[in-house]
Amino acid sequence: MYDEAGKPVTIAVVNLDNQVHTDGGWHNFMVEELGVYERVAPKETGAFTFVAGEPGEYLFYCDARCSKDNPFMQSRLLVS
């Protein structure tokens, strides 16, 4: 995912898990370096906007019973 520094970024996260999932089904979207922490309920879509930081590469991930080390629950935001 690419964006420009200082510009708003809107993210939509679709949570396909249901409430009977082993962790209650909740997930979140975190970008620690930018202070972004948003939760998404089971079977819901969460949309939220934040400002892209300085140019660089930012890890985003879910830590709601997942882990930032889980390769399926993380990616990178590249800011130019």
Side-chain angles (χ1 to χ4, degrees):
M1 171 184 302
Y2 292 91
D3 250 299
E4 290 183 56
K7 302 277 182 161
V9 177
T10 300
I11 301 289
V13 175
V14 179
N15 183 350
L16 300 176
D17 284 339
N18 60 39
Q19 293 171 333
V20 296
H21 193 271
T22 58
D23 61 5
W26 283 86
H27 285 282
N28 63 25
F29 177 87
M30 290 186 64
V31 186
E32 287 182 67
E33 297 90 349
L34 301 178
V36 176
Y37 179 87
E38 300 287 342
R39 294 183 74 205
V40 182
K43 295 292 187 185
E44 297 288 330
T45 297
F48 32 90
T49 301
F50 60 95
V51 175
E54 297 294 318
E57 186 173 295
Y58 298 89
L59 174 69
F60 65 87
Y61 63 94
C62 173
D63 79 340
R65 299 214 188 347
C66 301
S67 161
K68 70 177 166 182
D69 297 324
N70 181 334
F72 300 105
M73 298 301 287
Q74 65 165 283
S75 192
R76 303 267 176 197
L77 169 66
L78 302 174
V79 179
S80 59

